[in-house]
Amino acid sequence: MSMVDVVFPPGASQRDWVSDGILAVSLTLVSIVPYLVGLEQPIEYSALVALSASFTLPLVLRRHAPLAMLALSTLAGIFQLILVPVPTVSLVAVPVIAYSIARWVPGSLARSVLVVGAFASVLGPMRWVPGSDTNPSADILFWGACLGAVLTPYAIGRRTREVAEARAHQVQTAEERYTLLLAEREQQTKLAEASTRAMIARELHDIVAHSLSVMIVQAEGGRAAATRKPEVAAEALDTIAETGREALHEMRRIVGVLRSDPSSPEQPDYAPMPTLRDIPDLVARTSDRARLVVHGTAFPVTQALALTLYRVAQEALTNFLKHAGPDAHATVTLTWSSGAITVDVIDDGEGIENPTDGGGNGLRGMYERVTSMGGTLTAGPRAGRPGFRVTATIPVHGNANRPLPRRS
């Protein structure tokens, strides 16, 4: 705390100025009225009134400049001690001065009022009571009463200050805790939004990219067969139309969920999640150059695990259609075991040099899906032979209670 803050404590408001001014004027009136009504005094009334007022009026500074108040009142008390042989009514301000210094002055500087009060408690009775040295017991009693008028309000003021500081510290701690809580909630909200955006991006990519790839392959095949086998071209157009309708339907469902109001009684129509039982149909609809091989006996698995492996197979087949070439073939191997389930997609096509060509959203999405389930994913060109391979393995144990949001 700077010296300016010690001399002029911060926090005093205009309302404090008014209340302190009322207090100072009230005590001044109490101090001077007895002399104004004509009580007999050993000195002139005007001087007595001035001395009394100079002792009480500095109370207007008790919260804004308490040390200045103490200095002015002490100076006025010295003049009273010299000029007035009896105690004045203005001494009623002593407890207020002691309390104010203890309440508003921090640290050891507040004890200055005790030093001044101790000297005044001894010098005052010696000045006011003639022959006070003849009765030591009475002197000690008188001095103790004067000193008690300083010590008691001082103790009350220090205690009040300690309570106020403790309460302010609690408020500050609560504000800091609340600010930290808001920051944590904001961070959690951002993470949740990022996770939701990533999930939506994966779903859109898997649905749209696969459907468009199938449509492109069918369109190219239909164009090649249009002159030689018109019926094959017609079948390709039917497949394109069906695939396009399915993709459009899925897109509308997703957009409907994103635009829906959770509080609305009309909830969007949700479709069931794809599962491992849908992989044979996926392979069949993708291309007649893709086949499915199953090892092991199927058993119930969680929706999250089934959807993840389905999306991996879907994305791998999409990449096969886009990059392997028109003469390539693909094999999808689904292996069931007691500890894990594996999807292995191998093609013998031309492949690509950079597996992240085109932005890498597909491989990145597969990796995010598989690792979130505690599994492993490997993807890259086949060693020593043409083609590309994608292998995803997800453990069965530990995925039984993983929550999965409903798919639109």
Side-chain angles (χ1 to χ4, degrees):
M1 181 176 293
S2 64
M3 184 56 64
V4 175
D5 292 336
V6 173
V7 178
F8 305 100
S13 63
Q14 184 177 2
R15 184 177 179 181
D16 296 331
W17 273 111
V18 174
S19 61
D20 292 343
I22 293 175
L23 175 64
V25 171
S26 300
L27 289 180
T28 301
L29 292 176
V30 170
S31 301
I32 66 177
V33 164
Y35 308 114
L36 293 177
V37 297
L39 294 180
E40 294 184 0
Q41 297 297 332
I43 63 173
E44 296 183 358
Y45 294 148
S46 58
L48 194 56
V49 168
L51 289 172
S52 298
S54 63
F55 189 81
T56 56
L57 286 178
L59 288 176
V60 73
L61 303 174
R62 72 187 196 94
R63 266 184 284 203
H64 303 270
L67 291 178
M69 173 200 67
L70 177 62
L72 293 174
S73 296
T74 301
L75 184 62
I78 293 173
F79 278 104
Q80 284 194 27
L81 193 63
I82 296 173
L83 300 177
V84 182
V86 295
T88 63
V89 182
S90 62
L91 294 179
V92 296
V94 170
V96 180
I97 295 173
Y99 173 86
S100 301
I101 295 296
R103 175 64 179 88
W104 304 111
V105 176
S108 58
L109 280 177
R111 297 171 190 158
S112 58
V113 72
L114 297 179
V115 176
V116 175
F119 279 103
S121 298
V122 174
L123 297 178
M126 293 176 62
R127 168 65 168 150
W128 301 327
V129 182
S132 59
D133 53 349
T134 60
N135 191 352
S137 298
D139 294 341
I140 293 175
L141 182 61
F142 203 177
W143 295 338
C146 294
L147 188 59
V150 177
L151 287 176
T152 301
Y154 177 86
I156 296 175
R158 286 320 276 183
R159 179 57 181 170
T160 304
R161 180 179 179 84
E162 292 172 358
V163 172
E165 289 179 344
R167 186 179 296 113
H169 179 70
Q170 291 176 353
V171 172
Q172 181 181 1
T173 303
E175 290 177 351
E176 293 176 353
R177 188 182 301 112
Y178 181 71
T179 302
L180 181 61
L181 179 61
L182 289 180
E184 291 178 352
R185 288 183 177 178
E186 183 179 0
Q187 184 67 19
Q188 291 174 358
T189 301
K190 290 181 180 179
L191 292 176
E193 290 177 354
S195 176
T196 302
R197 287 196 298 267
M199 181 183 67
I200 295 173
R202 288 195 300 265
E203 289 294 314
L204 289 175
H205 179 273
D206 292 343
I207 294 172
V208 176
H210 181 76
S211 299
L212 290 179
S213 298
V214 172
M215 293 168 66
I216 292 172
V217 171
Q218 293 293 335
E220 291 176 346
R223 182 181 59 184
T227 57
R228 300 190 305 273
K229 296 180 180 180
E231 66 279 4
V232 175
E235 293 178 359
L237 291 177
D238 291 339
T239 303
I240 292 173
E242 181 181 358
T243 304
R245 282 192 295 269
E246 291 179 356
L248 182 61
H249 182 63
E250 294 291 338
M251 288 289 295
R252 285 175 175 171
R253 286 181 181 273
I254 293 177
V255 173
V257 171
L258 295 177
R259 289 181 174 177
S260 64
D261 184 3
S263 61
S264 175
E266 297 182 0
Q267 293 297 320
D269 185 20
Y270 292 98
M273 289 287 185
T275 66
L276 294 176
R277 293 190 299 271
D278 298 317
I279 288 183
D281 181 62
L282 171 68
V283 176
R285 289 187 294 105
T286 298
S287 174
D288 56 0
R289 295 179 285 114
R291 68 187 184 97
L292 175 66
V293 178
V294 180
H295 298 296
T297 303
F299 51 84
V301 296
T302 63
Q303 275 191 323
L305 189 150
L307 177 63
T308 299
L309 292 177
Y310 178 91
R311 292 304 189 198
V312 169
Q314 184 183 50
E315 178 59 26
L317 290 174
T318 300
N319 290 337
F320 159 70
L321 293 177
K322 291 194 297 184
H323 304 298
D327 299 325
H329 296 78
T331 300
V332 179
T333 303
L334 180 61
T335 304
W336 298 79
S337 66
S338 59
I341 301 177
T342 300
V343 168
D344 189 28
V345 182
I346 304 175
D347 67 68
D348 57 0
E350 300 172 357
I352 52 176
E353 295 181 359
N354 183 8
T356 62
D357 184 28
N361 292 319
L363 289 178
R364 181 165 57 247
M366 285 192 290
Y367 178 79
E368 291 174 352
R369 289 181 183 275
V370 173
T371 54
S372 68
M373 299 296 296
T376 58
L377 175 75
T378 58
R382 299 171 65 185
R385 61 183 66 184
F388 199 83
R389 183 171 190 170
V390 176
T391 303
T393 301
I394 299 179
V396 175
H397 304 292
N399 291 314
N401 296 322
R402 287 182 178 268
L404 184 68
R406 293 181 293 177
R407 183 175 66 96
S408 61

